[in-house]
Amino acid sequence: MTLRYMPGFGNDFETEALPGALPQGQNSPQRCAYGLYAEQLSGSPFTAPRGTNERSWLYRMRPSVRHVGRFHRIELPFWKTAPHIVDHDLALGPLRWSPVPIPDEELTFLSGLRTVTTAGDVHTQVGMAVHLYFVTAPMLDEYFLNADGELLIVPEAGRLLIFTELGKLEAGAGDIAVVPRGMKFKVEPVGGPSRGYVCENYGAKFTLPERGPIGANCLANPRDFKTPVAAYEGKETPCRLVVKWCGRFQETEIGHSPLDVVAWHGNYTPYKYDLRTFSPVGAILFDHPDPSIFTVLTAPSGEAGTANIDFVIFPERWMVAEHSFRPPWYHMNIMSEFMGLIYGKYDAKEEGFAPGGMSLHNCMLPHGPDADAFAKASTAELKPVKLTDTLAFMFETRFPQQLTEFAASLPTLQEGYAECWSGIEKRFDGTPGLK
């Protein structure tokens, strides 16, 4: 199946699956074509400034008031929401996990989600949660709406087809997909089981970071973001809609699919992005710049320069800095960093950090290259070197990330992770010019 997309980030798009379904010159005509209903989906307050005002007009078979009925509570016990602070036996320190195998059981996107960390407070719309997902089965007559935040989906193995109210997205390793808060969708695996990561953003929606002195180009260029064209599902069979609201899950039975939008226009949309189109900038003479130069998306906090979430990647790139230590330097950070590896090796941790794995370095916990990476980088010939076949990422937040019971008890937790720095010995002896 070849899907069609419209390019651009934050654009005002318009699309229709049937000719003439989209009204022209107004949003809410007395009678919509094809007997459709007009409905607005707002992702921001009505009075938000024009540059941050988010809304789309949907022209659908039934308004969303017909997509809900009597709700009843259900449990998705592995999906946790901040604040979620639990006692566990892990002492404070840097943490790393080997990949978690895909379970040999039937799991949909909802039943296969496993929360690793939570941060902030969903009730005040600040912070985030990090999840792993395992998908082995499609959501056939099941649909989902997350009122708590938008979902940034990062596949690592396999592919996903994400059918939203506004159209279809397909994403695999090297892609990301974003589903806005309050938008209904379903997910199915493509060609086999899928595994990956999810960042649930409780705060302001993701946007592109400012480039500052970099100027008008590079990093994530807007034209490389892809928004789906209109597509609808007209089935009239029993279905169920699951809603996540303030950390709790409610389910309602309906007699039809809620993915019934025939046409739409606006700027509150799902989208996908190929991380391999990211145009990195870096040191071309000496030193290693801050990793913030690799920020793809940022969710602002309201405090200048301090993100609710930064989504950062470490892609293929040239290393050319002279008389410089080229890997990331040792540091302590006020931000809390969750890292994952999509494919290849990460240059600061070539061993022990495998695709599908993850690490957590919380606020003010020191980290940096392991002993082998330090020794290699300190003695290597400083000729131009291209890092190839590598793609790591980081979910970074201003809030401490609290472990869930699931993460704390995973058998893939690497108990001796901190020992990767044990080979770093004191080298100082007071001799001037010691190298």
Side-chain angles (χ1 to χ4, degrees), residues 251-270:
E251 181 184 87
T252 185
E253 305 291 334
I254 55 178
H256 47 269
S257 168
L259 306 183
D260 62 357
V261 177
V262 179
W264 63 268
H265 76 86
N267 62 356
Y268 192 60
T269 72

Side-chain angles (χ1 to χ4, degrees), residues 401-418:
Q401 297 192 44
Q402 304 286 342
L403 283 183
T404 62
E405 304 95 321
F406 167 77
S409 60
L410 271 175
T412 61
L413 178 67
Q414 298 178 11
E415 298 287 351
Y417 169 47

Side-chain angles (χ1 to χ4, degrees), residues 206-224:
F206 282 111
T207 188
L208 296 179
E210 300 297 340
R211 292 191 181 103
I214 295 172
N217 302 289
C218 291
L219 307 186
N221 288 306
R223 66 175 298 217
D224 294 319

